[in-house]
Amino acid sequence: MSDDATAGKVFAEYIEKLLAAENEQRSSLQMRGAAVISTSGTLVTLTLGLAVLVTNQGKATIPNAARVLLLFAMAGFLVASVLAILVNTPRRQTILDPVAVQREVRRRWNQTESTGLAKVTADRLTWLARLQRSNDVRAVTLMAAVTAQVVAVTLVGAAAAVILL
């Protein structure tokens, strides 16, 4: 076996591992997005419970400052949830054109193993680049969702402080 064939196999295995890692990253981002959705729902429920508790403790109304803070908190939880849903939204990703691959297979069928390996590796690099771009968008969206959630939690805390003072 020549040095080129050995190097080709090393590159092919490396790229295959990178592609697998990027697929795992996508799954991880989607799971974290689902967690933001669940957490936001729970925190909205707790916030509404706080409002009910305050009104049931003899205070006829929640102070206006607390109301405003709670409204903004609810908006923050809504934004966090919508962004997290976007993280999990399926995206149309054409990895390869099956017709073009079919033509390529027919054209190269009887060529050397290293030629086939080079073509498959090049295709995997294309997949990797597209998957990385998609994961980058998911990661930025998830970070925005988490930021919105942190802001909303902070606003709930501020509203609780206003109510308790």
Side-chain angles (χ1 to χ4, degrees):
M1 190 171 284
S2 73
D3 286 338
D4 289 339
T6 303
K9 287 185 180 186
V10 169
F11 281 120
E13 288 173 12
Y14 175 65
I15 291 164
E16 191 172 344
K17 287 178 183 177
L18 288 175
L19 191 57
E22 203 64 39
N23 277 315
E24 287 176 27
Q25 176 71 3
R26 179 184 55 195
S27 295
S28 174
L29 289 167
Q30 289 172 327
M31 287 188 320
R32 286 185 249 166
V36 168
I37 295 166
S38 298
T39 304
S40 287
T42 300
L43 292 172
V44 164
T45 302
L46 290 173
T47 302
L48 291 174
L50 171 68
V52 168
L53 179 67
V54 166
T55 56
N56 285 341
Q57 285 186 346
K59 291 188 178 182
T61 60
I62 296 174
N64 284 337
R67 284 177 186 252
V68 170
L69 290 169
L70 289 173
L71 285 173
F72 280 114
M74 292 296 184
F77 289 130
L78 176 64
V79 167
S81 294
V82 168
L83 290 170
I85 288 168
L86 290 175
V87 169
N88 289 318
T89 301
R91 291 169 175 82
R92 184 171 181 250
Q93 287 182 304
T94 304
I95 295 174
L96 292 173
D97 174 14
V99 174
V101 172
Q102 183 181 33
R103 278 193 305 263
E104 198 70 27
V105 167
R106 285 184 180 149
R107 190 170 67 88
R108 295 179 185 234
W109 188 259
N110 291 318
Q111 292 182 356
T112 65
E113 179 183 350
S114 63
T115 301
L117 189 60
K119 173 61 179 148
V120 168
T121 301
D123 286 348
R124 285 185 176 146
L125 280 171
T126 300
W127 301 346
L128 180 61
R130 289 179 182 164
L131 189 54
Q132 283 176 336
R133 281 192 301 272
S134 175
N135 282 349
D136 287 347
V137 169
R138 288 178 199 273
V140 168
T141 305
L142 181 60
M143 184 54 84
V146 169
T147 301
Q149 195 172 58
V150 167
V151 168
V153 167
T154 304
L155 290 170
V156 168
V162 168
I163 291 167
L164 294 173
L165 295 177

